[in-house]
Amino acid sequence: VGDVLVALKPDTDAVRVAMRLRQSLASFSGVRIGVDELSFGPPVAHPVFVRIFGDDHESLRTIAKETKDFLAEIPGVVNISDSLADSIPLARVDLEPERALPRGLTAAQVGQTLRLLYGEDKITEVRRGDELVDIVLEQAPAPDHPLETLADTPIRAATGALVPTKAAGQVLFAHDFAQLSRRNTRRVVEVWADLEGNLLASEVVDRLDTWLRARTWAPGYGFAYGGEQEETAKSFRQLGIAAFGAL
């Protein structure tokens, strides 16, 4: 992650500069580039921000995509994204019972060994004074060919023999979501957007709110706002508490 602070000359329109930068940087792939304007109001990362919560991960992803599509139809709404947009490369091990069981390997044995070697799991803990210190097995430097290295990783079978992972199944390359958020123990997908020109966040949220409320929501699913709306509501609550205290 890197930040670049741009100092503008006097009388330069920051909104127009930000708009041109967003258009110029939109063609870059493989990276996330955001252009944020410094503001003197409540510190919010994005003026439009909505949290969609529910149980099923795929359903949340579908609702998030439909929400982004709706926002994209509003002129002046830019940099639309969500917390599921990023993905990370993963190595997936698919065990084949007809190969694993004759060699004395189970999914639990393979998973435990791979987590120990590659997952940085806590092995044990020691007490240092009044504190407990976790002992974690540090990973070796990343190999030049990680999939081949993982496939050749030996697993201790029930018989005591060492069996390479590839002898019990397939090691595949895949992608998965980089972040699955939870808020108040509930699964949440966050959708956000920036604005161009003189478009107000309240105008966009009013249209978005009408659209979201018209949807049919399954039990356990719903939405809540963050961004400027959350900060504004928080400010009003604080003003109400202050006014009550003054009385």
Side-chain angles (χ1 to χ4, degrees):
V1 178
D3 295 320
V4 178
L5 180 63
V6 179
L8 301 179
K9 295 180 179 179
D11 300 326
T12 302
D13 190 339
V15 174
R16 291 186 178 275
V17 173
M19 187 186 317
R20 292 174 58 186
L21 282 174
R22 292 188 185 109
Q23 293 171 349
S24 301
L25 299 174
S27 59
F28 287 87
S29 60
V31 295
R32 172 185 288 178
I33 303 177
V35 179
D36 298 322
E37 303 161 47
L38 297 181
S39 62
F40 299 99
V44 294
H46 305 281
V48 178
F49 194 101
V50 59
R51 300 183 182 96
I52 303 168
F53 52 85
D55 298 322
D56 181 67
H57 191 240
E58 291 300 321
S59 297
L60 288 174
R61 181 169 62 169
T62 299
I63 299 173
K65 182 182 182 305
E66 294 173 353
T67 303
K68 291 191 297 181
D69 291 342
F70 175 82
L71 289 172
E73 296 176 356
I74 303 176
V77 179
V78 296
N79 295 343
I80 305 169
S81 189
D82 63 51
S83 55
L84 297 182
D86 291 337
S87 65
I88 55 175
L90 296 174
R92 189 180 71 202
V93 178
D94 289 344
L95 290 185
E96 300 175 0
E98 64 275 11
R99 297 171 59 189
L101 294 179
R103 292 175 170 82
L105 290 179
T106 64
Q109 291 171 309
V110 175
Q112 182 179 19
T113 301
L114 295 181
R115 279 196 302 271
L116 181 65
L117 294 177
Y118 303 108
E120 295 187 352
D121 281 1
K122 181 179 72 174
I123 300 175
T124 185
E125 58 187 14
V126 297
R127 181 173 293 279
R128 179 181 296 171
D130 296 332
E131 298 181 353
L132 289 176
V133 180
D134 293 340
I135 305 298
V136 177
L137 183 65
E138 184 176 352
Q139 295 187 34
D144 295 332
H145 305 285
L147 281 182
E148 290 81 353
T149 301
L150 180 60
D152 292 331
T153 300
I155 308 295
R156 180 74 66 180
T159 60
L162 291 174
V163 181
T165 304
K166 62 185 178 183
Q170 301 183 60
V171 178
L172 306 173
F173 181 77
H175 281 82
D176 203 349
F177 300 115
Q179 180 180 0
L180 178 59
S181 302
R182 287 183 179 271
R183 187 178 178 87
N184 297 330
T185 71
R186 309 174 76 175
R187 286 185 172 180
V188 172
V189 176
E190 298 171 340
V191 179
W192 58 80
D194 297 326
L195 306 177
E196 286 184 336
N198 297 322
L199 183 63
L200 298 177
S202 57
E203 298 176 14
V204 177
V205 171
D206 286 344
R207 295 178 60 176
L208 178 62
D209 190 71
T210 301
W211 180 78
L212 287 172
R213 292 184 184 278
R215 289 181 57 91
T216 300
W217 295 86
Y221 288 77
F223 63 94
Y225 293 105
E228 291 185 6
Q229 290 68 38
E230 185 177 43
E231 292 299 325
T232 300
K234 186 186 301 182
S235 299
F236 276 116
R237 287 197 300 268
Q238 292 173 345
L239 286 173
I241 293 174
F244 179 78
L247 293 176

